[in-house]
Amino acid sequence: MRDAHALLDHLTTEILAQKEAGTYKVEHQLEGPQGASVQVDGRSIVMLTSNNYLGLADHPKVRDAARKAIDEWGFGMASVRFICGTQTLHLELERRIAEFFETDDAILYTSCWNANEALFAATLTAEDAVFSDELNHASIIDGIRLCKANRYRYPHDDLDALAEMLEEDESRHRMVVTDGVFSMEGKLAQLDELVATCRQHGALLVVDDSHATGVLGARGRGTAEELGVHGQIDIVTGTLGKAMGGAAGGFVAGPQSVIDTLRQRSRPYLFSNSLPPMIVNASLAAFDLLDESPALVARLRENTRFFRTELESRGFDVPRGVHPVVPVIVGETALAIQMSKELLDEGVYVSGFGYPVVPHGEARLRAQISAAHTREELEQAVAAIERVGQRHGVATP
Ligand SMILES: Cc1ncc(COP(=O)(O)O)c(C=O)c1O
């Protein structure tokens, strides 16, 4: 007789092993809103590990828009979009996103995870192929697993290898998919080159620009704007859960035929609830804020430049870049985790990442800068990283 509860024992053993190995993830509780500084254990801590790039997660105009939508449009939709879950607001936000990326149309999902899960299965069949950068986000990997197309993983950022694979493949229709920004590194995909490669080999280019929407480019249009190819990406997926308000929501922006197909066929759209009106309206407010105040993107860039320069001048190993994800390489995984703990004691909330999320020997603190950080907050963070770094002999002045 087999014991159904044996699974529970098995899971408990695995969790215990994770705790012993120090890999069990512990969640610190924020005792107030997300912001440039947050309240943890009754103390104010500089937040260096959220995706609140523009500081809109607690912006008064975004809060007001959410509150107003609850009053005027209600709390929830109690439906999927195609049954009775589409309000005027949803269509307005979709138009806004399409204009933003200069595509024909856009479609909302409740997360970018859902958007990536939707795209490939709805548009590609077993006769087709998808080519994915090996370091793409988990949601792209899972989204591709759900489709029947031939799957190719190209070595990270290796466009020669990609071109060779495209050359050899004989599938009917092809898509190439990449993160716009690889978030462990803050490294940009070479979208200018990718546009050319895809054109040359007759493939559609899909970019998940979750970490760059509202962040990169003079107008915050993303990685493509930063690299001079705005409006030339065939299909863009992205999130409303980072710079653009930070609550939730995702989208696909692209050609009419793709968006129409997704509305008709994509499973997360057909079988999962509509985005609540308060989030839709607050996201519209976030797009307004971005367009009305270019200073937001400029401040984010200046804060990032300041933080990177200060750390570099103190001898830290900070890979070059322009993105507000600022990795500080410390070497071993245990050290990154230990430094992250000590930094919390020092009043700075920054995550430590190690193997297998990043290669062996390249464990790091990953700081994420926001337009909302004041100079004092950034100086406080740099001073704390310097103290903790010196304690462990990390920086080489
Ligand atoms: C590149 C990328 N794609 C998708 C997602 C998922 O976005 P969401 O939180 O909207 O599901 C993330 C979030 O971490 C991401 O970094």
Side-chain angles (χ1 to χ4, degrees), residues 8-29:
L8 309 185
D9 294 338
H10 169 71
L11 295 177
T12 306
T13 310
E14 282 195 336
I15 292 287
L16 281 175
Q18 267 183 291
K19 286 185 176 167
E20 272 163 28
T23 55
Y24 185 80
K25 292 179 270 308
V26 179
E27 297 174 7
H28 300 294
Q29 294 169 43

Side-chain angles (χ1 to χ4, degrees), residues 111-114 116 137 139 179 181 183 208 210-211 239-242 249-250:
S111 66
C112 184
W113 187 284
N114 272 179
N116 287 337
H137 189 260
S139 55
D179 281 15
V181 170
S183 63
D208 175 343
S210 288
H211 279 277
T239 186
L240 302 169
K242 300 191 196 295

